[in-house]
């Protein structure tokens, strides 16, 4: 395990829920700075795959490596890996009783045991990165969905992750709010963050992704650059899927 070109390696991950085989052997290598978008019909294992990466779901078999360290079977070290793997969900999961800045700094204080002044500075820096510094003292209920999602991105960034996972981050948002979140994600990608993004936003996937993976029935059925997938998809289903969302 000495190849350091890949920040994340996924080797033959399988996961079943009862008789439902959701991931049937998924492998993928991710280089530092890549943005990989996962597309495909619902129920094909996209969320399960992201959840396996930070062990929110434990795969039945297969291995996952972050910077050549095995994440699967990490035991108590899983908390270390979870700090290195930021995750953003469709429904934000902010603490309602905490202001935006408190939401961002809470893990810095409790998990990283950072000095309060330093944590506040770091939290404000990250809020600024997502254009939310002016809203630091507002509660989630006072924020639009797009603003709340940007705060949850800032919260993930505050842990200085090696990689960010986004699971349909804009699916709960109307188009205008979707745009402001995608802008933030695009900026992260341009700045060199490594990102895995499950999305139906083909415009984003085509303009930002280094690679698009089309998932179906628990497999990555097809993968390639946006141009390859858009102009020359091998599978009829992939072509139809892209067509539907463009
Ligand atoms: P996608 O994100 O592509 O829509 P998911 O990974 O969420 O797909 O789900 C794939 C399949 O796994 C679905 O059939 C879903 O019902 C099932 N599934 C996901 N999580 C669980 C779970 N915790 N328990 C049982 N079944 C699950
Ligand atoms: Mg999903």
């Amino acid at each position: 395990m000495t190849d350091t070109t890949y920040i994340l390696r996924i080797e033959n991950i399988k996961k079943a829920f009862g008789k439902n085989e959701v991931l049937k052997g998924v492998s993928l290598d991710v280089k530092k700075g890549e943005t990989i978008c996962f597309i495909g019909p619902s129920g094909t294992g996209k969320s399960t795959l992201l959840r396996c990466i930070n062990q929110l779901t434990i795969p039945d078999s297969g291995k996952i490596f972050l910077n050549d360290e095995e994440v699967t079977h990490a035991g108590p070290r899983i908390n270390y890996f979870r700090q290195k793997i930021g995750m953003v969900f469709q429904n934000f999961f902010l603490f309602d009783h905490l202001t935006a800045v408190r939401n961002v700094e809470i893990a810095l204080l409790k998990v990283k045991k950072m000095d309060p002044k330093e944590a506040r500075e770091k939290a404000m820096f990250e809020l600024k990165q997502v254009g939310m510094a002016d809203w630091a003292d507002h509660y989630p209920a006072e924020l639009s969905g797009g603003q709340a999602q940007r705060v949850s991105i800032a919260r993930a960034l505050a842990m200085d992750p090696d990689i960010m996972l986004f699971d349909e981050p804009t699916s709960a948002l109307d188009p205008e709010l979707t745009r402001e979140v995608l802008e933030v994600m695009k900026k992260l990608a341009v700045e060199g963050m490594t990102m895995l993004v499950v999305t139906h936003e083909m415009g984003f996937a085509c303009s930002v992704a280094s690679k698009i993976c089309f998932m179906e029935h628990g497999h990555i059925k097809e993968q390639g650059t946006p141009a390859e997938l858009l102009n020359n998809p091998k599978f009829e289903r992939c072509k139809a899927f892209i067509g539907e969302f463009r």
Side-chain angles (χ1 to χ4, degrees):
M1 301 306 150
T2 51
D3 186 356
T4 50
T5 36
Y6 294 112
I7 195 162
L8 182 76
R9 289 185 298 128
I10 300 172
E11 285 181 1
N12 202 22
I13 289 293
K14 296 185 182 172
K15 177 68 187 178
F17 295 105
K19 284 192 161 44
N20 185 7
E21 288 177 53
V22 174
L23 297 175
K24 298 176 185 167
V26 172
S27 299
L28 184 70
D29 294 326
V30 182
K31 288 191 187 127
K32 193 168 160 51
E34 278 190 315
T35 294
I36 301 195
C37 286
F38 294 86
I39 63 170
S42 61
T44 50
K46 303 182 299 298
S47 295
T48 303
L49 179 61
L50 288 199
R51 293 171 62 85
C52 282
I53 293 171
N54 63 8
Q55 302 282 285
L56 287 176
T57 294
I58 308 297
D60 298 330
S61 62
K63 290 181 176 178
I64 292 169
F65 298 89
L66 183 71
N67 290 320
D68 288 336
E69 291 190 284
E70 189 174 349
V71 179
T72 29
H73 313 107
R77 278 197 87 217
I78 190 56
N79 291 323
Y80 161 79
F81 287 115
R82 287 196 179 130
Q83 289 180 40
K84 294 279 157 204
I85 303 170
M87 182 134 183
V88 174
F89 302 89
Q90 183 176 328
N91 294 321
F92 334 133
F93 294 125
L94 294 175
F95 293 114
D96 290 335
H97 64 293
L98 298 180
T99 60
V101 69
R102 291 284 294 151
N103 263 285
V104 177
E105 74 183 6
I106 191 88
L108 297 175
L109 297 168
K110 305 267 182 208
V111 180
K112 291 216 168 179
K113 312 283 182 210
M114 208 180 251
D115 161 74
K117 186 163 170 283
E118 203 185 330
R120 179 56 59 102
E121 276 169 19
K122 173 81 170 152
M124 287 306 300
F125 173 82
E126 300 299 351
L127 284 174
K128 205 163 166 212
Q129 292 290 97
V130 300
M132 285 298 292
D134 290 345
W135 294 82
D137 296 325
H138 288 257
Y139 288 87
E142 300 166 334
L143 306 177
S144 72
Q147 291 175 323
Q149 190 58 296
R150 287 188 281 146
V151 172
S152 82
I153 293 172
R155 176 180 56 183
L157 291 174
M159 302 305 278
D160 292 327
D162 288 337
I163 183 164
M164 288 279 284
L165 313 179
F166 293 86
D167 192 358
E168 301 204 27
T170 62
S171 290
L173 307 176
D174 62 36
E176 199 164 324
L177 302 181
T178 292
R179 202 172 320 126
E180 70 188 39
V181 172
L182 295 180
E183 280 303 317
V184 164
M185 290 168 61
K186 186 170 184 172
K187 177 170 153 260
L188 289 179
V190 169
E191 288 170 357
M193 177 57 76
T194 310
M195 317 207 294
L196 303 193
V197 184
V198 175
T199 187
H200 292 294
E201 297 290 335
M202 289 302 155
F204 175 84
C206 293
S207 63
V208 178
S210 348
K211 186 195 275 181
I212 297 178
C213 294
F214 175 70
M215 278 191 76
E216 197 181 43
H217 303 317
H219 293 285
I220 296 176
K221 261 287 181 38
E222 182 160 10
Q223 55 180 297
T225 63
E228 285 164 351
L229 243 70
L230 280 171
N231 302 328
N232 197 17
K234 290 192 207 83
F235 291 92
E236 217 36 61
R237 283 282 292 148
C238 179
K239 200 188 289 185
F241 184 86
I242 291 172
E244 196 178 316
F245 282 94
R246 276 179 90 190

